[in-house]
Amino acid sequence: VMEVTVFPNPVSTEAHFVLKNFSGKMTLELFNTAGQLVFSNKRESSQSITELRIPMQNEPSGLYFWKISTSGQVFSGKFMKQ
């Protein structure tokens, strides 16, 4: 089963996503509280641990929602931006 860890929370300049037990295609999307897509990244990985670093320094402070879609699974959560 894939595990997703997001840190730090709150985020200041960069959000780190660590995906464990994952290989294949995935899409990471970030949304603001208005539901607007502020970041999207499609990637394929063959490693058991994948780390993604998302630049956040140009985004305003507030709450952000994330969604990771893989073939057959969807993971979601939220974090704060300082």
Side-chain angles (χ1 to χ4, degrees):
V1 175
M2 187 172 92
E3 298 175 33
V4 180
T5 304
V6 182
F7 65 93
N9 194 3
V11 168
S12 56
T13 59
E14 203 171 54
H16 297 257
F17 287 77
V18 178
L19 289 66
K20 293 181 183 175
N21 303 320
F22 168 74
S23 64
K25 295 180 181 179
M26 56 85 61
T27 302
L28 168 64
E29 297 174 310
L30 294 182
F31 302 90
N32 62 20
T33 54
Q36 297 169 315
L37 181 67
V38 297
F39 180 86
S40 180
N41 184 309
K42 292 183 180 182
R43 132 174 339 209
E44 188 165 352
S45 176
S46 60
Q47 302 174 4
S48 61
I49 297 177
T50 300
E51 183 174 346
L52 304 169
R53 295 174 185 227
I54 312 305
M56 295 295 295
Q57 64 268 18
N58 296 327
E59 300 298 332
S61 297
L63 184 63
Y64 287 83
F65 299 93
W66 58 267
K67 180 173 81 170
I68 295 176
S69 305
T70 66
S71 55
Q73 291 183 302
V74 175
F75 299 85
S76 60
K78 58 188 174 185
F79 63 84
M80 290 295 297
K81 162 71 167 66
Q82 285 183 329

